Amino acid sequence: MERTATSGRWHGVPLAAVGALWAAPTWLALMHLVTGSIVGVTGGVAILILVSTAAAGIPTVIVTIAALIAVFPSSAVLADLQRSRHTAFLRLRWPNAPSRPLTFAPRALVAYLRGPKTWRQLSYHLVASVYGPVSAVVAVAPWALGAAMVPAPLYWIGAGPGGPGHPWAVSGVGLAMLLVAPWATRGLAGLDAAMARRLLGTTRNEELALRVSDLAASRDSTVDAADAERRRIERDLHDGAQQRLTSLAMNLGIARATLTDASEPATRAIEQAHEEAKQALGELRDLVRGLHPAVLEDRGLDAALSAVAARSPVPVRLRVDMDRRVARDLEAVAYFVVSEALTNAARHASAEHASVEVALSDDLLRLAITDDGAGGADPDRGTGLRGLADRVRSVDGTFRLTSPAGGPTTVEVELPCAS
């Protein structure tokens, strides 16, 4: 069985060698090398002309600077062309790196010059200007020579005794060259692809940076979508269910006040319905404020926190020092942190006093919420504090909790809000 399997593998080698002659990857690789010679020489000559112009224009300074600056956008255009060529012929895939707009600001140019990617691209163009034509010649030569040598016996028909003596040997060499040509072509194209991946692609660190950037953008869009959905639900409840409950409570109140001659069971039912309607209306208002308070949208964080402090069952000393409004998502995070921290102080810590300090300085919004309750707060024992920490981290903020047994409990939050 082993001998049969081995024999089968060896019998497949000639078939593979012959099949490679007309296989699509072979001809795609050959076209890749031929077009690479054109693009490589063109790019290398263009860069050489710009560099020579820069060297010749040194006395004028301006010509030198202009020529050197032109090298880099030219290199970027050539890199895009080379990548598209590798994708079209060799099916290479490149990460979706964000395009960097061309700018001539000094700091941007310095950053561009210091970037390793810039010099890797230039290196590839210089290598391709030599490797491109050389590899194309080396790849095309066995195809052309082999095709010319295979029919050698036909050339010697009628040549007579004085002609060359081994036409079949020449034909055999030509056939061997044709059989080797596909693999040589693919090998040269594969070497070019390896260089392109290394010099035109991205390094592991760059891939990780792109991944982090994509995740940050995805997270921001998710946070924005969730915030927009909360605002929509708040508007729907405020304009719909809340208005209907208000009307119901008013009608029940009117009925309660006017139907004085109703029977005692009917009067009790109306009174109970009126109280439950008012209670449901209060709970709905709290729910709406918890989703996204309208005062936060209309008047900003200072007014919204003043409303929170006024509603808190624990006396709150509030101090807000902000000279401008910050982004809506940051205001929402700050609002919910303060609201949840004060709720915990009243509900779980049995606090008698609390203080809230909010300050905006150095593009950083700082929050400090302190209560004199029992302390011992632990995010691992409940979802409330853990949810606050997750909300803060969603905007790249920092969350710190200090709550020794016996108190006091302090929640400190820092939210970056660079303008």
Side-chain angles (χ1 to χ4, degrees), residues 23-230:
T26 299
W27 294 100
L28 288 173
L30 185 61
M31 288 187 285
H32 171 80
L33 294 175
V34 172
T35 56
S37 66
I38 300 172
V39 177
V41 170
T42 303
V45 170
I47 291 175
L48 181 61
I49 290 174
L50 289 173
V51 172
S52 300
T53 303
I58 288 178
T60 64
V61 178
I62 296 178
V63 173
T64 300
I65 294 176
L68 288 177
I69 290 176
V71 167
F72 300 105
S74 301
S75 174
V77 171
L78 285 170
D80 289 338
L81 182 59
Q82 293 282 18
R83 291 193 193 98
S84 64
R85 189 174 62 86
H86 281 81
T87 300
F89 295 119
L90 302 182
R91 302 292 188 268
L92 288 189
R93 294 291 178 262
W94 309 93
N96 295 322
S99 59
R100 182 164 39 187
L102 178 61
T103 175
F104 296 103
R107 294 180 64 180
L109 285 174
V110 170
Y112 191 80
L113 289 172
R114 294 178 62 182
K117 189 174 182 179
T118 302
W119 299 103
R120 291 204 309 270
Q121 290 181 356
L122 276 175
S123 300
Y124 179 81
H125 299 324
L126 295 176
V127 171
S129 66
V130 177
Y131 182 82
V134 170
S135 62
V137 170
V138 173
V140 171
W143 290 99
L145 292 175
M149 294 169 65
V150 165
L154 299 178
Y155 304 154
W156 274 275
I157 293 177
H166 303 287
W168 291 104
V170 174
S171 179
V173 171
L175 180 61
M177 294 180 69
L178 284 178
L179 294 176
V180 170
W183 308 105
T185 301
R186 294 188 191 185
L188 292 169
L191 180 58
D192 188 24
M195 290 190 295
R197 284 195 190 96
R198 179 67 182 87
L199 299 177
L200 296 182
T202 55
T203 63
R204 179 63 176 167
N205 290 337
E206 290 170 342
E207 290 179 358
L208 291 175
L210 289 174
R211 180 61 175 161
V212 169
S213 178
D214 290 342
L215 290 174
S218 175
R219 181 206 62 190
D220 292 342
S221 63
T222 302
V223 171
D224 292 341
D227 189 53
E229 183 66 12
R230 282 196 300 269

